[in-house]
Amino acid sequence: MKSSIKSALFAASLVAGAALVPVHAAEDTTVVLVHGAFADGSAWNKVIPILQKQGVKVVSVQNPLTSLADDVAFAQRVIDAQSGKVVLVGHSWGGAVITQAGASDKVKSLVYVAAFAPSEGEVVGELGKDFPLPPGIASLKPDNNGFIYLSAESMAVNFAQDLTPAEHRLMTATQGPIKASAFGDKVDVAAWKTKPSYYIVASKDRMIDPGLQKSFAAKINATTTTLPSSHVPMASQPEAVAKVILAAVKR
């Protein structure tokens, strides 16, 4: 009798344990996160633990932000290092990077987070000319080496206005300046034409006009989610951003 009870309890524990394992945990899929300008890989620090808790492997790329080709090469190196399929996620300028790097056979889907989604032959610097100039863009500061920055004030008012002052200071200290000439680099391939795509529109964005974001989402026929956030929804609404990424993983 005791043996039967023990066997029953053991079987029940296995069933209960299996129920706690996320459906997608066994899939050999890696989420590769690509940050944008004025940021670094830590921009995803609130999203990464949520994905990892669901059993998803995650890698955050550290872009040099020196040219489109350089950033694509860094992303491609990370993609190539993965053993299985990749969900490629790009924020802001990172959208241009995943548009090109996403052509890899390993990439199964793309997620754009308040990001540029150019077509072949387009340059990021010319996108949005039919939309109002966002206040954050007007505030950019160049240095003597051809790189551009956001001031601490603009970081707080235009880039991440829905975060705390402490977070503003941290993001200002860790921001990655981008080479201004990168905005003139042409995209050679548009991976969204052949890969399922998702788009998160940040409706209170002051860096990329929300109307332009909506036009990108429509152009690439993306599954679209709109969040009432600043330019950095992955920092202000990480659970909502993670939910979209997980949908791409499960697809």
Side-chain angles (χ1 to χ4, degrees):
M1 178 67 72
K2 289 183 178 180
S3 177
S4 298
I5 293 174
K6 286 182 179 179
S7 298
L9 289 174
F10 179 70
S13 69
L14 289 178
V15 172
L20 294 175
V21 178
V23 174
H24 56 277
E27 294 181 7
D28 192 9
T29 297
T30 301
V31 172
V32 174
L33 303 167
V34 181
H35 66 81
F38 321 115
D40 68 0
S42 67
W44 303 100
N45 278 1
K46 291 184 180 180
V47 170
I48 292 171
I50 300 173
L51 298 177
Q52 290 175 332
K53 189 175 181 180
Q54 293 297 314
V56 179
K57 183 182 177 184
V58 188
V59 181
S60 184
V61 179
Q62 296 288 351
N63 290 333
L65 300 175
T66 46
S67 70
L68 178 60
D70 289 346
D71 286 1
V72 168
F74 269 62
Q76 189 65 62
R77 186 174 67 189
V78 174
I79 294 167
D80 290 344
Q82 308 314 310
S83 59
K85 291 295 185 179
V86 166
V87 170
L88 195 54
V89 185
H91 171 244
S92 190
W93 159 259
V97 179
I98 71 169
T99 294
Q100 187 141 324
S104 168
D105 290 340
K106 285 192 172 183
V107 176
K108 73 174 188 178
S109 58
L110 307 168
V111 181
Y112 292 81
V113 182
F116 293 105
S119 300
E120 300 101 324
E122 290 186 328
V123 300
V124 168
E126 295 179 358
L127 299 175
K129 57 181 179 291
D130 296 328
F131 293 83
L133 180 68
I137 300 302
S139 74
L140 295 177
K141 305 292 184 183
D143 67 10
N144 294 327
N145 296 305
F147 286 82
I148 49 179
Y149 299 75
L150 275 176
S151 67
E153 179 183 5
S154 190
M155 184 70 74
V157 174
N158 297 312
F159 196 80
Q161 68 270 23
D162 49 0
L163 298 184
T164 66
E167 288 174 307
H168 297 155
R169 291 191 293 270
L170 182 60
M171 294 176 79
T172 300
T174 60
Q175 74 168 297
I178 187 169
K179 194 79 177 281
S181 59
F183 290 111
D185 294 342
K186 287 185 178 181
V187 172
D188 294 330
V189 60
W192 49 260
K193 289 188 173 180
T194 57
K195 305 292 173 72
S197 298
Y198 297 75
Y199 199 106
I200 296 175
V201 174
S203 66
K204 298 184 183 300
D205 201 322
R206 293 170 63 85
M207 297 299 298
I208 300 178
D209 186 82
L212 177 59
Q213 294 182 37
K214 291 176 183 177
S215 73
F216 287 142
K219 178 181 72 172
I220 68 176
N221 193 31
T223 300
T224 304
T225 300
T226 300
L227 300 176
S229 80
S230 67
H231 187 54
V232 287
M234 65 281 195
S236 62
Q237 299 190 41
E239 294 85 1
V241 172
K243 182 178 180 181
V244 174
I245 296 172
L246 287 170
V249 170
K250 294 176 183 179
R251 182 161 180 161

